Amino acid sequence: MYEEEFGKIDEELQKLYLQTNAKVVFLVDKNGQLIASAGETHDIDTTSLASLTAGNIAATGGIARLLGEKEFTILFHEGEKDNIHISLIGQRIILVVIFDSRSSLGLVRLRVKKVSEALTKIFTDITAKSDREKSEGKIDESPFAEISDEDIDNLFR
Amino acid sequence: MSFINYSSREINCKIVYYGPGLCGKTTNLQYVYKKTNPDQKGKLISLATETERTLFFDFLPLALGDIKGFKVRFHLYTVPGQVFYAASRKLILKGVDGVVFVADSQIERMEANIESLDDLRINLAEQGYDLDKLPYTVQYNKRDLPNVAPVDNMNKLLNPRNIPFFEAVAVTGPGVFETLKNVAKQVLVELKKHY
């Protein structure tokens, strides 16, 4: 993930957060890792939420394949107060919007659709950029090449 | 694949505990959870049935510390061991960085161990992974029970490549952290090769 693109992703999430009047908006990859978030995240366990969301998407994807569908791209769960709207972007990134009665499902769906296009473009750019750098043989000044056994041992003190 | 976030300077790695039903995968996670500092761990999430059998997965995020200014986080997952949860089991392996195979040392569970190991190989292959190339550790659990198979026999059956293995009693703790450390180390060494 590059700094510049991360900024753009963050911007899109902030925009979505404001436009939908949502409580929290976040982006997770299909493996359950949190990529970015916007809104009132402080009282939410985002790590757990990310992993459960990915599990949810994975299970739904499994059901889809059993039924001969490629994918179900939108999941919606309705609660007494809060609702959660989960959508799959570009088949690899999961966008989650948590909202209450200050917003509505229609508004969320509309805005999510718009921001999905922007995010898909950003992620396509990222892939293209990293492919290009790989083919040019450009090696990032990666901090990991120099990990020593000592560094690893230190983690387990 | 490990997820490296350069802007928040974090590395997230996924480790999956695999093995036959009732071999102690969840117990491993529970012990790790019990013994780590509160500031190093997140919530232990268990998606289980009323009888505490894992239904989908258990999940435990661990923050171990820093390497070269990057926060290193391990996400530990278990799979449901029971045979009929095969479809769910496959899903958990997506994006895995390291695997721990937890074997039940009781003689009567040897067949279940072998079956589960075959299942692991097949499910990994379906996701495009090769068990022989992944960071991988074997744990022989329940060594405190009276009817356990000798380690040599278990190695012959379950560990023909003779990769690192650990004897453990997950309920009380011996071997649990040794197993985790070993697989985590392999994951980081792998990371070093690829980035």
Side-chain angles (χ1 to χ4, degrees), chain A residues 1-3 6-7 29-36 45 47-62 65-66 139-149 151-157, chain B residues 1-14 40 42-43 45 47 56-57 59 61 64-68 70 72-75 77 91 94-97 180-182 184-185 188-189 191-193 195:
Chain A
M1 182 69 68
Y2 304 91
E3 198 100 33
F6 188 79
D29 80 353
K30 266 190 159 181
N31 303 330
Q33 320 270 17
L34 183 71
I35 299 173
D45 178 356
T47 314
S48 301
L49 204 56
S51 107
L52 287 172
T53 308
N56 208 334
I57 280 283
T60 312
R65 278 191 300 279
L66 285 180
I139 299 157
D140 268 347
E141 61 281 26
S142 162
F144 309 111
E146 288 157 27
I147 293 179
S148 65
D149 289 351
D151 288 331
I152 296 175
D153 283 334
N154 279 340
L155 280 182
F156 294 102
R157 283 266 162 82
Chain B
M1 215 185 74
S2 323
F3 181 81
I4 302 175
N5 193 330
Y6 284 93
S7 47
S8 59
R9 303 192 75 77
E10 281 178 6
I11 311 170
N12 289 314
C13 307
K14 178 171 180 176
Q40 286 187 310
K43 260 190 214 127
I45 288 188
L47 304 179
F56 195 6
F57 60 80
F59 169 67
L64 284 182
D66 289 23
I67 281 190
K68 307 269 175 225
F70 278 72
V72 181
R73 283 220 184 100
F74 286 96
H75 291 179
Y77 284 82
L91 301 174
K94 246 183 214 166
V96 67
D97 294 304
L180 175 59
K181 272 181 205 178
N182 184 277
K185 248 188 189 184
L188 292 171
V189 169
L191 194 74
K192 185 173 150 180
K193 271 190 231 161
Y195 289 94

Side-chain angles (χ1 to χ4, degrees), chain B residues 99-102 135-139 163-166 179 182-183 186:
Chain B
V99 178
V100 174
F101 184 78
V102 182
Y136 172 52
T137 303
V138 180
Q139 181 187 82
I163 55 139
F165 62 90
F166 296 88
T179 311
N182 184 277
V183 75
Q186 291 183 53

Side-chain angles (χ1 to χ4, degrees), chain B residues 46-62:
Chain B
S46 280
L47 304 179
T49 65
E50 280 171 7
T51 51
E52 290 187 24
R53 300 300 305 271
T54 304
L55 183 62
F56 195 6
F57 60 80
D58 304 303
F59 169 67
L60 174 63
L62 275 187

Side-chain angles (χ1 to χ4, degrees), chain B residues 14-182:
Chain B
K14 178 171 180 176
I15 293 173
V16 175
Y17 283 70
Y18 210 94
L22 291 176
C23 69
K25 302 173 289 295
T26 303
T27 315
N28 259 279
L29 252 63
Q30 284 168 341
Y31 187 81
V32 171
Y33 181 76
K34 209 165 70 188
K35 292 291 170 186
T36 34
N37 294 332
D39 56 330
Q40 286 187 310
K41 66 188 173 195
K43 260 190 214 127
L44 173 63
I45 288 188
S46 280
L47 304 179
T49 65
E50 280 171 7
T51 51
E52 290 187 24
R53 300 300 305 271
T54 304
L55 183 62
F56 195 6
F57 60 80
D58 304 303
F59 169 67
L60 174 63
L62 275 187
L64 284 182
D66 289 23
I67 281 190
K68 307 269 175 225
F70 278 72
K71 240 185 245 152
V72 181
R73 283 220 184 100
F74 286 96
H75 291 179
L76 311 186
Y77 284 82
T78 67
V79 298
Q82 292 176 84
V83 176
F84 61 89
Y85 289 133
S88 309
R89 212 158 30 238
K90 262 180 225 176
L91 301 174
I92 317 293
L93 285 174
K94 246 183 214 166
V96 67
D97 294 304
V99 178
V100 174
F101 184 78
V102 182
D104 192 328
S105 296
Q106 299 176 90
I107 291 170
E108 65 267 28
R109 297 296 288 163
M110 242 10 89
E111 212 159 302
N113 288 331
I114 295 169
E115 201 180 314
S116 174
L117 191 57
D118 284 345
D119 181 61
L120 170 62
R121 252 179 214 290
I122 294 166
N123 286 338
L124 281 173
E126 266 180 41
Q127 313 264 5
Y129 297 105
D130 180 352
L131 184 59
D132 297 335
K133 289 181 184 143
L134 268 181
Y136 172 52
T137 303
V138 180
Q139 181 187 82
Y140 300 140
N141 194 19
K142 308 196 187 181
R143 296 311 294 180
D144 57 330
L145 295 183
N147 54 337
V148 295
V151 170
D152 283 350
N153 285 7
M154 291 189 75
N155 257 335
K156 252 178 231 155
L157 283 173
L158 303 169
N159 187 12
R161 278 197 301 132
N162 207 15
I163 55 139
F165 62 90
F166 296 88
E167 295 183 52
V169 184
V171 192
T172 50
V176 171
F177 275 96
E178 288 79 355
T179 311
L180 175 59
K181 272 181 205 178
N182 184 277

Side-chain angles (χ1 to χ4, degrees), chain A residues 5 9 36 48 56 83 93 109 124 143:
Chain A
E5 279 77 10
I9 291 169
S48 301
N56 208 334
N83 313 297
I93 307 290
R109 284 194 70 158
T124 314

Side-chain angles (χ1 to χ4, degrees), chain A residues 12-143:
Chain A
E12 290 296 334
L13 287 194
Q14 288 292 348
K15 204 160 75 188
L16 181 67
Y17 166 65
L18 294 173
Q19 284 176 341
T20 53
N21 228 348
K23 284 175 102 170
V24 189
V25 171
F26 62 91
L27 213 53
V28 182
D29 80 353
K30 266 190 159 181
N31 303 330
Q33 320 270 17
L34 183 71
I35 299 173
S37 63
E40 306 154 26
T41 48
H42 50 271
D43 48 351
I44 291 180
D45 178 356
T46 42
T47 314
S48 301
L49 204 56
S51 107
L52 287 172
T53 308
N56 208 334
I57 280 283
T60 312
I63 296 171
R65 278 191 300 279
L66 285 180
L67 297 178
E69 265 305 316
K70 201 167 118 212
E71 227 143 27
F72 292 121
T73 46
I74 292 178
L75 304 181
F76 174 62
H77 301 300
E78 191 176 281
E80 254 172 42
K81 280 193 266 134
D82 290 339
N83 313 297
I84 182 163
H85 184 280
I86 303 171
S87 53
L88 204 52
I89 295 176
Q91 287 180 30
R92 51 185 169 170
I93 307 290
I94 303 164
L95 175 63
V96 183
V97 182
I98 300 176
F99 63 97
D100 58 15
S101 56
R102 288 174 298 170
S103 183
S104 73
L105 178 58
L107 178 65
V108 170
R109 284 194 70 158
L110 179 75
R111 295 298 179 192
V112 162
K113 206 171 174 186
K114 290 232 164 102
V115 83
S116 293
E117 288 161 19
L119 287 173
T120 306
K121 192 180 171 302
I122 297 173
F123 281 104
T124 314
D125 288 350
I126 293 177
T127 315
K129 193 167 165 181
S130 89
D131 285 351
R132 200 166 56 235
E133 286 188 357
K134 256 183 217 150
S135 69
E136 284 169 2
K138 203 197 267 179
I139 299 157
D140 268 347
E141 61 281 26
S142 162

